[in-house]
Amino acid sequence: MYKEERLAEAAALRGEIRHHEYLYYVLDAPEITDAEYDRFMVRLREIEAEFPEDVPEDSPTQRVGGRAAPDFTQVTHLTPLLSLGNIFSFDELKAFDERVRGGLPKGSRIDYVMEPKIDGLACSLIYENGKFVRAATRGDGSVGENVTANVRTIRSIPLVLTGDYPELLDVRGEVYMPRHAFMKLNEERAGKGEDEFANPRNAAAGSLRQLDPNVTAKRSLSFFAYFVGDGAREKHSESLAMLKSFGFKVSENYKVVSSIEEAWDYIENFSAKRTALSYDTDGAVIKVDAVYQQRILGATGKDPRWAIAFKYPPEQAETTLEDIDWRVGRTGVLTPTAVLTLVKLSGSTVSRATLHNVDFIRDKDIRIGDRVIINKAGEIIPEVLRVEKGRRTGEEKEVTVPSLCPECGWSVTRGNETAIRCTNPHCPALGREGLIHFASRDAMDIDGCGPAVITQLVDAGLICDAADLFSLNKEDLVKIERMGEKSAENLLSAIAKSRENELDRLLFALGIRHVGAKVARTLAMEFKSIKNLMEADEERLAAIRNIGDKIAESVVTWFSVPSNLDLIERLKTAGVKMDFTQSVTEVNSFYGKALVFTGTLPTLGRAEAQGMALAVGAKVSGSVSRKTDYVIAGEDAGSKLTKAGQLGVKIIDETEFLKIVRGGE
């Protein structure tokens, strides 16, 4: 009797918790406090701990468990996840309507469903008999990656459906990160000294591909359902209503329209509303409502003929350029940043914008006091697009390029470069910025050792150069502000882990002038050890493909400086790996091929993708030419994609790239 009573209580608690999760995560209308919700969960866990054999897989307590599959195993979609073509004007929208009408019987009534285009990551969810069983990313549209363990942690996704559901349901939607969650995440990462995410879409993609679902669970991801494959109703609008009845979050901004003029009205009206939303959108989607008409129209390649996306132009704002701040980087280069009068842009307050270099300022004739137009375009720091010269009053001041370094007071030089550079080899900024670079993700990848932490360690006198990082101890670290015992242990663990990095990471981390990640990889693969590299002369180095005289001279010069040799010796003593032992196989189809990446890839960062290509012996270039073998294109690919098409270069997407780089071709 006791067990039956407890199991009945547990069942009631699960129903209560699901109800309140729906109110909170789907409707944004909570009826109880967080503390009351926590009490329900605590009680449910107590009962389930007594009877673990009776805990159902769909219990609210089971959202997080286990680990994601290594390398995210591939799954085949029940029906393809199609991508959408893009349009940018009313004329293009009318042309789409004409194509739809031309593909259907003459005189057909056509209704369209208008929806926001959520800026996130497309995902397919499979439900069997009302229970969530699998989630997969879009991939190439036919095959995606299994992200079930991570998607289970998203609380706006029901684990059990309510209502009259079909035996099999294939739900399509967008995993996204709300703006407030994105801001909070970046604040936390900045506080830990970690790199910030560029935008909510990148943050969502990175969060969904975590190997540890517990990390994903902390990222406050959400999900909008916007389509049904298997299990759809006769009309798309009816499917959306059905999804809502099942407990899914469906955009409150969708609308059925009966003409292309009404569709355009929606696009114009939604443009004004979208900045006030709690999530990012970059356009509006128009879909034929009747499913039988969708089937008649079909698809061309990966794009449906019955749907298309209108893309809004990047948001811009006008403000005043109040001053210019010159910052010294790790190589001594002075970079200008515009200090702006506060202005709202893309849902956030902007006070700074990049100015790139001196030539950029001169080419655009930028002056202090100018009214300028800035464009965020998905980046953290916006760019100054242009000056409103017609708004000048005569009070504006021409920009004076510094003659002295703002950090140390030494003279600066420009030479034949675009950049101006501090001449002091011991400038404090070089040391601090060099350490930040050394620990960065693409270099030694020391997690938790970002700019803020490096600055604290330098200011506390705990480190002066890279070798000092490997002699840090817990007792010293816990004295640092906001560095508790757990944070100190995590940092020391990350430092210890970095000792095992391959030689190419170390060479890049050292900050040798002209030696980027790609050159570092080439040198590591060629010489196999830092000892061999140090013994090479300029002639030997310059003979290597893609190295040349300038890089050869820079490398030889760096290794001729006694303090640099001392640093290498101290790093070696600290146990840092000085060899390249990673195998590079000529079997891979990318071996020796020239690759160019363009646009935003769905799941991979640019540096990560390039690193994977280099690891199998590919050559990565920044520009497309007749010597290019492959162009890997992501979203918003620009002129490189156009040029590749003109030259007949093979163009592939991320999914095909991953297939080849993992030995699938």
Side-chain angles (χ1 to χ4, degrees), residues 97-110:
D97 181 52
E98 289 168 2
R99 290 195 300 272
V100 168
R101 294 183 183 280
L104 295 173
K106 190 174 182 180
S108 297
R109 173 187 171 86
I110 302 170

Side-chain angles (χ1 to χ4, degrees), residues 414-474:
R414 183 172 186 184
N416 297 323
E417 297 180 298
T418 300
I420 57 175
R421 192 181 301 272
C422 174
T423 58
N424 179 7
H426 304 293
C427 177
L430 272 65
R432 183 182 64 250
E433 297 297 324
L435 282 164
I436 291 170
H437 170 73
F438 184 88
S440 66
R441 179 165 40 188
D442 296 333
M444 293 298 277
D445 192 21
I446 303 177
D447 190 34
C449 196
V453 171
I454 289 291
T455 300
Q456 286 181 301
L457 294 173
V458 170
D459 291 346
L462 294 177
I463 59 172
C464 293
D465 61 26
D468 291 334
L469 286 167
F470 298 93
S471 61
L472 291 170
N473 58 63
K474 184 177 176 180

Side-chain angles (χ1 to χ4, degrees), residues 103-166:
L104 295 173
K106 190 174 182 180
S108 297
R109 173 187 171 86
I110 302 170
D111 289 330
Y112 292 112
V113 179
M114 306 297 300
E115 301 170 57
K117 186 175 183 297
I118 313 299
D119 199 11
L121 192 71
C123 198
S124 166
L125 313 179
I126 302 298
Y127 288 79
E128 294 177 357
N129 297 314
K131 292 187 177 181
F132 170 66
V133 296
R134 194 187 76 194
T137 60
R138 173 181 309 197
D140 65 358
S142 297
V143 177
E145 291 184 315
N146 190 328
V147 288
T148 304
N150 289 347
V151 166
R152 284 182 66 89
T153 71
I154 302 174
R155 294 185 178 274
S156 57
I157 292 177
L159 299 181
V160 180
L161 301 181
T162 58
D164 186 17
Y165 48 78

Side-chain angles (χ1 to χ4, degrees), residues 250-266:
V250 175
S251 174
E252 70 280 12
N253 291 293
Y254 83 84
K255 182 180 180 181
V256 180
V257 299
S258 57
S259 70
I260 211 65
E261 288 74 22
E262 286 184 51
W264 183 249
D265 287 342
Y266 175 96

Side-chain angles (χ1 to χ4, degrees), residues 153 201 206 230 232 269 376 434 457 501 513 551 602:
T153 71
R201 185 185 186 280
D230 282 65
N269 292 333
K376 198 164 188 179
L457 294 173
N501 285 332
R513 195 171 174 190
I551 297 173

